[in-house]
Amino acid sequence: MTKHDTWVKLKPGNPYEPILDFFANGMIPMRDPFPMERTVDQNGEEVALWIIDVERLSSIQFQSLAQIIAIYCKTDAVTVALEAELKGGFSMSHEWVASMQCWVEGFARSKELADFFETAPESGTPEGARAFVEFCNTQYERWIDGNQEPRQINSIEDIDPRLRTPELEQIFNTIPIEFAIANGGFSVFDVITGQAFTHALNIIDPENSYSLVGDDDEFNDDEFDDDEIYE
């Protein structure tokens, strides 16, 4: 099984709010980069389910999830925990998910989902349902039960254009700067004064020269009016 790398943030008012402090930045690890499972609610409506990745949960996170789900479903935590162990994760309704973050596996599988939707039969039809089941079966075989390795991501160009967002492009723009600063051997003072940042800019943009304005820089006295008062 590959190392899953999808995380989600939940909408305000979700039933998991009492335990979100157990998760860094309120991010919950998911097995898949989309709600892959399906169930039917009490009204006979189909519900899309995410699966919380138990392999990436600490013991306190696992226990707190079992307890909060047991309270919400009016059952006991032991039953919920055993079911999660058998199914490979806790299920969560798609309605609570506000946003998602992922990395190489998540982007690879999201691309496959986008490809599927471009060629699959119409959703809501028997043909469409069968096609989605077949698609999910291949996801199990390769990404969940299997050991398929995703292609590495080195730049924004390695990500399918359909999955790119302005926020993602901004992240890739800052990665070279953060890498240059992290590997430059700078002191805290260098970072505070901006020396580390200008060094990073000179590395990633060698066609230009960046420097700090220091005490030795010359200024044109004509720019200042002797009659002006500066506090």
Side-chain angles (χ1 to χ4, degrees), residues 96-149:
W96 302 121
V97 175
S99 62
M100 181 194 81
Q101 294 180 12
C102 65
W103 193 228
V104 287
E105 186 201 275
F107 279 114
R109 295 178 63 186
S110 295
K111 178 184 182 301
E112 292 178 358
L113 181 66
D115 292 339
F116 167 78
F117 282 133
E118 287 190 352
T119 59
E122 184 179 353
S123 177
T125 65
E127 295 79 8
R130 284 194 295 270
F132 186 74
V133 169
E134 292 175 2
F135 170 77
C136 290
N137 287 339
T138 63
Q139 291 288 304
Y140 271 104
E141 292 170 2
R142 295 186 294 109
W143 297 106
I144 300 172
D145 298 327
N147 295 303
Q148 181 155 333
E149 291 294 330

Side-chain angles (χ1 to χ4, degrees), residues 92-223:
M92 176 185 291
S93 175
H94 180 64
E95 67 173 305
W96 302 121
V97 175
S99 62
M100 181 194 81
Q101 294 180 12
C102 65
W103 193 228
V104 287
E105 186 201 275
F107 279 114
R109 295 178 63 186
S110 295
K111 178 184 182 301
E112 292 178 358
L113 181 66
D115 292 339
F116 167 78
F117 282 133
E118 287 190 352
T119 59
E122 184 179 353
S123 177
T125 65
E127 295 79 8
R130 284 194 295 270
F132 186 74
V133 169
E134 292 175 2
F135 170 77
C136 290
N137 287 339
T138 63
Q139 291 288 304
Y140 271 104
E141 292 170 2
R142 295 186 294 109
W143 297 106
I144 300 172
D145 298 327
N147 295 303
Q148 181 155 333
E149 291 294 330
R151 187 181 68 175
Q152 292 302 307
I153 296 175
N154 298 308
S155 72
I156 191 69
E157 299 302 321
D158 294 327
I159 295 177
D160 189 280
R162 294 168 296 182
L163 306 177
R164 299 176 193 172
T165 65
E167 293 80 9
L168 186 62
E169 292 184 2
Q170 181 61 37
I171 290 173
F172 274 95
N173 288 336
T174 61
I175 286 176
I177 296 177
E178 293 175 351
F179 181 82
I181 292 176
N183 291 275
F186 296 104
S187 66
V188 173
F189 183 76
D190 290 333
V191 175
I192 293 175
T193 59
Q195 184 64 43
F197 188 76
T198 56
H199 173 77
L201 287 176
N202 283 319
I203 291 177
I204 65 175
D205 185 16
E207 295 183 0
N208 294 290
S209 179
Y210 299 88
S211 62
L212 293 175
V213 176
D215 294 334
D216 295 332
D217 291 297
E218 296 182 358
F219 295 94
N220 187 345
D221 292 339
D222 293 338
E223 295 178 358

